[in-house]
């Protein structure tokens, strides 16, 4: 239930948040029970919340049952899913069930208040000031009240001004680092109270998406050798030296060996589920938080199975799992359709898009713009879309933007302003000429991605067939640990990374990806004009400014060839016909966004 402002995109197949300003498809239902569609996680609901896609569960009692779901074969990483190496769709699928914030994103792509946690209101436009009120009932699973101290910790974690003498070495290894500058004074209010205000230095179009609740301040304080009040004071005073031990715990203290859960004492939760058990390489099970202050989860246990995409349909048919969220392929859809009434299939547009990103690290071959151009000339994007995507979505097209999607109204306007179509068709001869002129025939291009992944393996095979002909030497470097801590992507041992960003509704979208030095700018790209355009966009509430700067950014990214967009992902998931309230969403939480509402029909 999170989807607060973290950064700009969760990486699909990586360990990384793009968020987009799109309205996703509306809040329709799929699954065994499609009749209940009101309520934002509360029993009474509202007219507005009726579009959120949340089911009205009424006064329920948690069912003594276990529902099994798989979102991929990638191992669970950490209770702390807010570091660059743990913020992935796979890890977030689990941890987002354990933490609650002030908002969530509905199936229609819009933001809804999470009234179980509390409320918020804008009390001033100049300066932009927001008042937050935490529910009196809100507490951590260990019984400790959720207070302003927790919000101050969330601000401190995202404050790049807390560092070890250089902003290049932030104290907290957070995926989002902008709040220290945008809200320099942090949350204002009694640290042990339930109300606080935040004042922005500039207008922030994504203020409602900011993350003001993350992890338990009382735990971080104790593990850092401080009282909660001392932790709060140190964060507010910028005392990095005093915070060093606490920050080290936040960065590393929840990381354990696969199969070993952190001690429950240091891992309380604010959401409907908490960690129950973990079998390395097999599954992680969440159990209902008996101290949850909101609507209780519909099912006592939720088990995430680590299953490869190619095996998911068989697992669903065998009832080894109840819900699957595979990478969409033609074969997968056909297999699901062959199961008939035994399953419910969820399909729709998504705010997720496939792309090839270059490595700009010093010494890498792809720092040469001419070689990037040659590679772009030989990538058969249309062939990839025709063969791998159109059978799932006949309306699919090659994607030629990063901040807007083909199904959005302003897509063509942005593309017309930013891109002249020069890489729409494969140009082997043009690529050959560049390689010869650069004396670069035979240049190895290692394409890394999270494997196994049938569709991406097919994408790389298509690229190899085309680009080898042009004079490159394409190497398929797919591996299970490509995006893991100290994996090839982390080490910079690649020329091109193939993955997808999953959106969450942010207007400031790719700043965390494309701006210099940002946490998700993994390829070390830097362009002062791009940085300036993002700063202009991110500090304006004017949609006209957003539109103007988006076009400028898109053109600069095309001119530099930051990377190559390929296609928007078609959404595909499925559930057993006996599982109620499974609903498609376009946002980055994907099918598990409302897993706390899933229940088996009696």
């Amino acid at each position: 239930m999170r989807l607060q402002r973290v950064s700009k995109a969760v990486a699909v197949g990586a360990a990384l948040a793009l968020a987009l300003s799109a309205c996703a498809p509306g809040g329709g239902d799929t699954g065994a029970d499609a009749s209940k569609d009101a309520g934002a996680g509360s029993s009474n609901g509202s007219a507005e919340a009726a579009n959120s896609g949340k089911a009205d569960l009424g006064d329920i009692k948690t069912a003594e049952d276990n529902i099994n779901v798989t979102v991929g074969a990638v191992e669970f990483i950490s209770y702390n899913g807010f570091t660059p190496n743990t913020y992935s769709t796979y890890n977030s699928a689990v941890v987002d069930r354990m933490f609650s914030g002030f908002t969530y994103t509905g199936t229609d792509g819009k933001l809804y208040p999470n009234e179980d946690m509390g409320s918020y209101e804008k009390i001033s436009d100049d300066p932009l000031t927001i008042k937050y009120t935490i529910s009196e009932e809100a507490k951590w699973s260990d019984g400790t009240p959720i207070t302003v101290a927790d919000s101050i910790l969330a601000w401190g974690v995202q404050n790049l001004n807390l560092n070890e003498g250089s902003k290049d070495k932030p104290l907290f290894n957070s995926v989002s680092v902008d709040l220290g500058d945008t809200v320099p004074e942090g949350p204002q209010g009694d640290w042990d109270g339930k109300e606080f205000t935040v004042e922005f230095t500039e207008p922030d179009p994504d203020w409602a998406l900011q993350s003001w609740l993350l992890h338990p301040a009382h735990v971080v304080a104790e593990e850092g050798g401080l009282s909660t009040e001392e932790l709060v004071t140190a964060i507010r005073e910028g005392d990095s030296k005093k915070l060093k031990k606490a920050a080290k715990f936040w960065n590393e203290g929840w990381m354990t060996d696969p199969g070993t859960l952190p001690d429950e004492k240091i891992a309380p939760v604010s959401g409907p589920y908490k960690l129950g058990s973990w079998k390395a390489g097999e599954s992680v099970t969440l159990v209902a938080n008996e101290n949850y202050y909101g609507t209780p989860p519909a099912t006592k246990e939720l088990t995430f199975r680590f299953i490869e995409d190619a095996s998911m349909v068989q697992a669903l048919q065998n009832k080894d799992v109840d819900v699957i969220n595979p990478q969409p392929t033609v074969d997968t859809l056909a297999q699901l359709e062959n199961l008939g009434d035994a399953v419910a299939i969820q399909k729709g547009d998504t705010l997720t898009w496939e792309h090839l990103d270059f490595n700009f690290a010093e010494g890498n071959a792809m720092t040469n713009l001419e070689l990037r151009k040659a590679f772009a000339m030989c990538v058969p994007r249309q062939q990839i879309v025709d063969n791998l995507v159109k059978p799932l979505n006949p309306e699919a097209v090659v994607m030629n933007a990063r901040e807007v999607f083909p199904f959005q109204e302003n897509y063509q306007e942005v593309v017309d302003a930013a891109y002249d179509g020069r890489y729409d068709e494969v140009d082997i001869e043009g690529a050959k000429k560049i390689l010869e002129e650069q004396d670069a025939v035979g240049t190895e291009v290692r394409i890394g991605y999270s494997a196994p992944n049938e569709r991406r393996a097919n994408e790389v095979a298509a690229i190899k067939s085309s680009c080898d002909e042009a004079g490159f030497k394409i190497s398929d470097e797919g591996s299970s640990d490509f995006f893991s801590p100290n994996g090839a992507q982390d080490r910079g041992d690649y020329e091109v990374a193939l993955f997808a960003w999953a959106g969450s509704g942010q207007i400031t979208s790719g700043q965390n990806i494309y701006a210099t030095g940002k946490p998700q700018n993994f390829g070390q790209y830097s362009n002062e004009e791009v940085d300036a355009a993002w700063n202009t966009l991110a500090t304006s509430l004017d949609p006209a400014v957003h539109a103007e700067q988006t076009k400028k950014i898109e053109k600069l990214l095309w001119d530099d060839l930051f990377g190559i967009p390929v296609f928007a992902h078609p959404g595909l998931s499925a559930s057993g016909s006996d599982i109620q309230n499974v609903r498609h969403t376009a946002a980055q939480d994907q099918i598990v966004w409302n897993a706390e509402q899933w229940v088996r029909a009696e």
Side-chain angles (χ1 to χ4, degrees):
M1 194 189 280
R2 189 184 76 208
L3 288 201
Q4 302 279 83
R5 161 82 169 270
V6 284
S7 57
K8 310 302 177 274
V10 169
V12 182
L16 315 164
L18 168 93
L20 305 156
S21 56
C23 252
D29 291 272
T30 54
D33 181 2
S35 63
K36 299 175 182 178
D37 195 27
S42 59
S43 59
N44 54 0
S46 67
E48 179 183 44
N51 294 320
S52 73
K54 286 281 187 177
D56 183 357
L57 299 181
D59 297 323
I60 67 165
K61 181 179 180 180
T62 301
E64 294 288 330
D65 193 9
N66 180 292
I67 289 180
N68 290 274
V69 57
T70 181
V71 297
V74 179
E75 180 74 75
F76 175 63
I77 307 173
S78 176
Y79 161 97
N80 182 358
F82 210 71
T83 74
N85 287 325
T86 60
Y87 194 72
S88 71
T89 50
Y90 304 114
N91 202 65
S92 293
V94 179
V95 298
D96 284 358
R97 315 283 71 78
M98 301 192 292
F99 295 97
S100 291
F102 287 102
T103 61
Y104 70 92
T105 305
T107 57
D108 55 5
K110 295 180 180 179
L111 204 65
Y112 291 88
N114 173 20
E115 296 175 0
D116 288 340
M117 176 56 73
S119 62
Y120 56 91
E121 62 175 325
K122 182 170 65 173
I123 59 177
S124 172
D125 284 313
D126 188 17
L128 178 63
T129 307
I130 317 299
K131 179 182 179 181
Y132 290 86
T133 303
I134 303 168
S135 169
E136 287 297 327
E137 288 72 38
K139 59 185 176 182
W140 294 97
S141 55
D142 62 5
T144 303
I146 297 172
T147 67
V148 176
D150 300 304
S151 296
I152 293 169
L153 173 63
W155 173 73
V157 162
Q158 300 172 78
N159 186 349
L160 198 58
N161 299 313
L162 292 175
N163 56 62
E164 298 182 82
S166 168
K167 287 193 175 185
D168 293 332
K169 295 182 179 180
L171 203 61
F172 292 93
N173 183 29
S174 169
V175 74
S176 179
V177 295
D178 59 349
L179 284 186
D181 291 329
T182 58
V183 185
E185 299 301 319
Q188 298 299 298
D190 294 336
W191 68 269
D192 56 352
K194 291 279 191 175
E195 291 185 353
F196 65 93
T197 60
V198 294
E199 183 179 304
F200 291 80
T201 55
E202 302 282 353
D204 184 341
D206 288 320
W207 64 264
L209 283 162
Q210 291 286 3
S211 297
W212 293 113
L213 289 171
L214 290 174
H215 302 110
H218 64 288
V219 170
V220 175
E222 183 173 352
E223 296 300 313
L226 304 168
S227 67
T228 304
E229 184 175 11
E230 287 172 333
L231 176 75
V232 166
T233 300
I235 293 173
R236 282 177 162 172
E237 294 180 352
D239 191 343
S240 297
K241 184 176 181 180
K242 195 168 187 177
L243 291 168
K244 194 167 184 178
K245 185 178 178 181
K248 181 176 176 59
F249 169 77
W250 189 91
N251 294 336
E252 304 170 4
W254 287 300
M255 296 289 291
T256 60
D257 293 330
T260 303
L261 292 177
D263 192 305
E264 187 171 0
K265 180 183 177 182
I266 65 169
V269 300
S270 59
Y273 284 104
K274 63 183 182 180
L275 288 167
S277 61
W278 183 4
K279 297 179 181 178
E282 295 184 21
S283 65
V284 62
T285 295
L286 303 182
V287 298
N289 171 11
E290 65 275 11
N291 287 326
Y292 187 53
Y293 44 88
T295 303
T299 300
K300 183 176 181 179
E301 294 187 351
L302 187 65
T303 295
F304 289 81
R305 299 280 306 279
F306 311 138
I307 299 177
E308 296 178 8
D309 293 82
S311 302
M312 285 187 185
V313 176
Q314 188 65 54
L316 182 64
Q317 183 178 13
N318 295 344
K319 297 187 180 298
D320 294 329
V321 293
D322 301 295
V323 182
I324 64 173
N325 193 185
Q327 287 277 336
T329 68
V330 179
D331 289 344
T332 299
L333 178 59
Q335 291 168 22
L336 287 170
E337 290 175 339
N338 286 337
L339 297 182
D341 293 340
V343 301
I345 301 173
Q346 300 87 29
K347 295 194 294 184
D349 290 321
T350 72
L351 294 175
T352 301
W353 59 287
E354 196 88 343
H355 53 93
L356 296 148
D357 284 2
F358 292 113
N359 186 350
F360 291 83
E362 185 178 354
N364 193 282
M366 288 300 130
T367 57
N368 184 331
L369 175 58
E370 294 304 308
L371 294 190
R372 298 200 298 277
K373 288 179 179 179
F375 182 79
M377 287 178 179
C378 64
V379 172
R381 295 192 297 157
Q382 188 65 59
Q383 176 189 336
I384 289 170
V385 170
D386 289 345
N387 293 346
L388 302 178
V389 186
K390 276 195 173 184
L392 294 161
N393 175 14
E395 304 301 317
V397 297
V398 171
M399 189 165 166
N400 284 321
R402 302 157 183 82
E403 296 302 296
V404 290
F405 282 72
F407 55 81
Q408 293 181 280
E409 290 182 2
N410 62 331
Y411 172 76
Q412 196 58 50
E413 179 184 345
V414 171
V415 172
D416 289 345
Y419 172 63
D420 61 8
R422 69 181 64 186
Y423 304 115
D424 283 355
E425 297 182 5
V426 170
D427 182 1
I428 298 296
E429 293 306 315
K432 278 183 178 179
K433 183 179 179 181
I434 290 176
L435 288 175
E436 290 169 356
E437 291 174 347
Q438 297 292 312
D439 192 23
V441 174
T443 296
E444 183 180 23
V445 176
R446 297 166 296 171
I447 303 179
Y449 60 95
S450 181
N453 186 305
E454 178 185 356
R455 186 177 67 198
R456 291 199 172 118
N458 288 334
E459 288 179 61
V460 175
I463 294 170
K464 179 175 178 59
S465 177
S466 180
C467 291
D468 278 7
E469 185 180 347
F472 284 108
K473 183 181 177 182
I474 303 299
S475 176
D476 183 330
E477 296 292 325
S479 66
S480 60
D481 63 350
F482 182 80
F483 292 105
S484 299
N486 203 39
Q489 190 264 357
D490 204 20
R491 300 192 308 269
D493 290 341
Y494 68 99
E495 277 69 51
V496 174
L498 172 61
F499 60 107
W501 289 121
S504 64
Q506 285 177 279
I507 294 170
T508 55
S509 53
Q511 187 175 26
N512 211 42
I513 299 167
Y514 308 114
T516 303
K518 291 293 185 177
Q520 291 180 299
N521 185 347
F522 295 101
Q524 300 182 40
Y525 171 76
S526 180
N527 182 314
E528 291 182 359
E529 290 184 81
V530 172
D531 296 346
W534 274 120
N535 287 336
T536 300
L537 188 154
T539 55
S540 174
L541 300 178
D542 186 348
V545 172
H546 301 161
E548 176 187 6
Q549 296 305 313
T550 295
K551 293 174 185 176
K552 182 176 182 180
I553 290 165
E554 290 281 8
K555 186 175 189 311
L556 288 166
L557 294 176
W558 269 119
D559 290 347
D560 275 355
L561 272 179
F562 168 90
I564 307 170
V566 186
F567 58 84
H569 281 213
L572 177 64
S573 58
S575 52
S577 58
D578 60 337
I579 305 300
Q580 299 178 333
N581 298 325
V582 180
R583 298 167 180 185
H584 171 78
T585 184
Q588 67 186 31
D589 256 11
Q590 301 185 38
I591 199 61
V592 297
W593 76 281
N594 72 328
E596 67 273 12
Q597 297 195 317
W598 296 349
V599 65
R600 199 180 307 274
E602 296 180 359

